[in-house]
Amino acid sequence: MRKLKSFIESYRLIIIAVAIGLAFYLLALNIFTDVQARLVGVIAFLVTLWTNNGLHMGVVSLLPIVLFPIFGLVESKDVVSNYSKTTIFLFVGGFLLAIATEKSQLHKRLATKLLSIFPNTPRGVLLSLMLTAGTLSSILSDTTTALLIIPIAAFLTDNPDYKFRLLLGVAYASLIGGIITPVGTPPNLILMDFIETNNLETIAFATWTTMMLPLAIVMMIVASEVLLYGFKKENFELVEIDMTKKPLSFNQKKLVWILSTLALILAANPILKHLFEIEVNEKLTLLAFGLFLFLPKVDLLEWKEDFAKIPFAIIFLFGAGFSIAMAFQKTGLATEIANILVSFNYLPPIVLMLIIGSGVVFATELTSNTALTSIMIPIIYPFAVQSGLDPMLFMLIVAISASYAFMLPIATAPNAIAMSTGHVKTTEMVQRGIFLNIAGIIITFTVALTYWKMFL
């Protein structure tokens, strides 16, 4: 009996996931075909494991390779192909650049520079950290950015009332900064992959940045005000910081040149395409620059020491997300759900956008934004097409809204990293996060219906 109790306790979270998956399967049988209901059950099982940490995220992310063929959803060779897409190798290149940035300590130099530019006030220091995190997160992953900047935020002050605001500021800025570029966060990459897979008109790197930068700036300002609400100026204090102007090291200079060159190529890509019909593959370019760091005389990365630092669990999460999106299309579930949504097309488009965007914002608090975007994008596209609405605008709203997970530590890695310092309480994150979620919905819809339409 004791062994049975011990076994059940060890597998409790997995058993819960199985039960939830089975429940969703039985419920879905009343609406969809058996194959589609099986997919609903498997996805519910995976999302539950991602949420309750019954298994490591990397293990759960590899399960579609086994489960999808077993349940007759997608053939194994098709599932495996999703784990080797060019989008995934783009992310590998991004991680390599992030590892080099951390190894050379360039991120600390950037933070010190910003602290010297901004005023030495509660708002100035907070914005300097948020701008640093947002800038890095637009190129690197939000997880990597949070790992780089949160230790600096924790070091800057010993005052607990100010420290948790700085930590949350970095976490939130890491999420907001990710929307600035197509490579900044997984939902953006999933949308870009969907656009490429379905032969839709692509959004160039520079065009995306031009569309999203104003939104990110407004969100940063709003986030800083939400975080500073209720803060007493007399609690503002910083540790002593060495602000002496030291020259960049040789490796830091090399990395600055490499990152500057990469930024220039990505920015010039749409111009070259328009004027000379020369198009640079942005995914392979980022991977190429990541691999360039290993070359002799560059020597910013070393294979044995640095390649192992790539968080392959997140890489596998991409593969799982792409596999889910493929399964939605191959089983016809995306079209079926779209047909259901079409029955609500009597509502004004702005109301539909608001409902969908709000649902995504609050759903991503409890589920992986990668998985959620993978599920929603294939649904929203046929729904918008059948309803005579702008599918690109709807998909953009879904992708951007999926990055607005400010309430709970389980929602995103930056939130969890901030919480792991021991200086942030869940209640503090929820109280500020819910206001920022609502603000994000309102601001994004305002920008989408006015500014974005100039580009679509």
Side-chain angles (χ1 to χ4, degrees):
M1 184 63 71
R2 287 182 180 178
K3 289 184 178 181
L4 179 60
K5 287 183 178 180
S6 176
F7 177 84
I8 293 175
E9 181 60 29
S10 299
Y11 281 80
R12 180 175 60 87
L13 296 176
I14 298 176
I15 293 172
I16 290 173
V18 171
I20 291 175
L22 183 60
F24 270 82
Y25 164 71
L26 294 174
L27 289 171
L29 274 177
N30 297 316
I31 307 172
F32 307 113
T33 66
D34 181 60
V35 173
Q36 293 168 348
R38 273 181 264 154
L39 176 58
V40 170
V42 171
I43 291 175
F45 170 72
L46 294 172
V47 170
T48 303
L49 285 179
W50 272 318
T51 304
N52 68 8
N53 295 314
L55 287 170
H56 189 277
M57 180 180 67
V59 176
V60 180
S61 300
L62 287 171
L63 286 178
I65 298 176
V66 179
L67 296 181
F68 281 13
I70 287 178
F71 285 95
L73 304 174
V74 182
E75 292 184 17
S76 57
K77 61 181 178 65
D78 294 326
V79 181
V80 171
S81 68
N82 288 294
Y83 291 79
S84 59
K85 288 195 172 187
T86 54
T87 302
I88 288 179
F89 288 101
L90 173 151
F91 214 52
V92 170
F95 276 126
L96 292 174
L97 292 168
I99 292 167
T101 302
E102 180 181 14
K103 187 175 182 179
S104 67
Q105 302 291 300
L106 184 60
H107 64 292
K108 289 186 178 180
R109 295 301 301 270
L110 177 59
T112 303
K113 180 67 175 178
L114 285 170
L115 284 174
S116 67
I117 296 173
F118 281 74
N120 190 24
T121 63
R123 183 172 283 99
V125 174
L126 176 61
L127 284 173
S128 70
L129 284 172
M130 292 182 70
L131 181 57
T132 303
T135 302
L136 290 176
S137 184
S138 67
I139 301 173
L140 312 177
S141 76
D142 54 13
T143 304
T144 303
T145 299
L147 286 170
L148 294 175
I149 307 301
I150 277 181
I152 300 174
F155 161 76
L156 284 176
T157 181
D158 293 324
N159 184 286
D161 188 40
Y162 190 47
K163 180 174 289 191
F164 89 82
R165 299 171 197 270
L166 294 182
L167 293 170
L168 283 181
V170 173
Y172 292 166
S174 298
L175 299 175
I176 295 169
I179 72 174
I180 296 174
T181 66
V183 301
T185 188
N188 299 0
L189 291 169
I190 290 169
L191 172 58
M192 295 299 283
D193 181 80
F194 183 88
I195 291 172
E196 181 181 321
T197 302
N198 289 272
N199 297 317
L200 304 176
E201 186 176 352
T202 59
I203 302 176
F205 195 100
T207 302
W208 179 293
T209 302
T210 304
M211 291 173 64
M212 300 303 164
L213 188 57
L215 172 60
I217 291 173
V218 173
M219 284 296 297
M220 289 271 194
I221 295 172
V222 171
S224 67
E225 294 303 316
V226 170
L227 287 170
L228 288 173
Y229 179 78
F231 178 70
K232 298 178 181 179
K233 289 186 178 180
E234 55 266 29
N235 289 336
F236 175 65
E237 58 181 60
L238 297 177
V239 298
E240 188 174 345
I241 304 171
D242 181 12
M243 301 296 287
T244 55
K245 294 183 179 180
K246 298 177 181 178
L248 292 174
S249 68
F250 183 54
N251 281 346
Q252 289 172 339
K253 288 179 180 178
K254 283 192 291 187
L255 187 56
V256 167
W257 277 105
I258 291 170
L259 293 176
S260 299
T261 304
L262 173 62
L264 182 63
I265 291 173
L266 295 177
N269 192 25
I271 300 173
L272 292 173
K273 181 180 179 181
H274 179 71
L275 295 179
F276 306 105
E277 297 185 354
I278 299 173
E279 185 174 6
V280 177
N281 188 314
E282 295 177 346
K283 298 180 179 67
L284 297 183
T285 299
L286 205 63
L287 176 61
F289 270 77
L291 297 176
F292 179 76
L293 303 176
F294 291 96
L295 289 180
K297 302 300 182 181
V298 178
D299 291 326
L300 288 171
L301 292 179
E302 194 275 324
W303 183 267
K304 290 183 179 179
E305 175 187 350
D306 298 312
F307 195 79
K309 296 177 183 177
I310 293 177
F312 285 99
I314 295 178
I315 300 296
F316 295 149
L317 184 62
F318 272 109
F322 295 147
S323 298
I324 289 173
M326 172 184 281
F328 258 79
Q329 291 184 300
K330 284 195 176 271
T331 61
L333 184 58
T335 303
E336 195 65 35
I337 294 176
N339 290 334
I340 295 173
L341 288 175
V342 166
S343 63
F344 294 97
N345 64 0
Y346 60 88
L347 295 173
I350 188 171
V351 176
L352 286 171
M353 289 182 187
L354 188 60
I355 292 172
I356 292 169
S358 301
V360 170
V361 166
F362 286 98
T364 197
E365 296 288 352
L366 296 174
T367 64
S368 158
N369 62 1
T370 302
L372 182 65
T373 312
S374 300
I375 293 169
M376 290 301 298
I377 292 293
I379 294 173
I380 292 302
Y381 177 71
F383 163 67
V385 171
Q386 292 177 37
S387 302
L389 303 172
D390 187 345
M392 191 64 72
L393 191 62
F394 268 71
M395 290 191 296
L396 276 170
I397 287 174
V398 169
I400 299 305
S401 298
S403 293
Y404 294 160
F406 305 113
M407 285 175 55
L408 297 174
I410 63 171
T412 65
N415 291 4
I417 294 166
M419 184 68 66
S420 69
T421 63
H423 300 293
V424 179
K425 296 179 181 177
T426 303
T427 52
E428 293 166 341
M429 186 179 288
V430 171
Q431 288 169 357
R432 286 156 182 80
I434 190 169
F435 284 107
L436 200 51
N437 276 7
I438 295 171
I441 294 169
I442 296 171
I443 295 169
T444 301
F445 277 88
T446 302
V447 173
L449 296 174
T450 55
Y451 182 62
W452 287 358
K453 282 198 170 183
M454 297 168 57
F455 299 89
L456 300 177

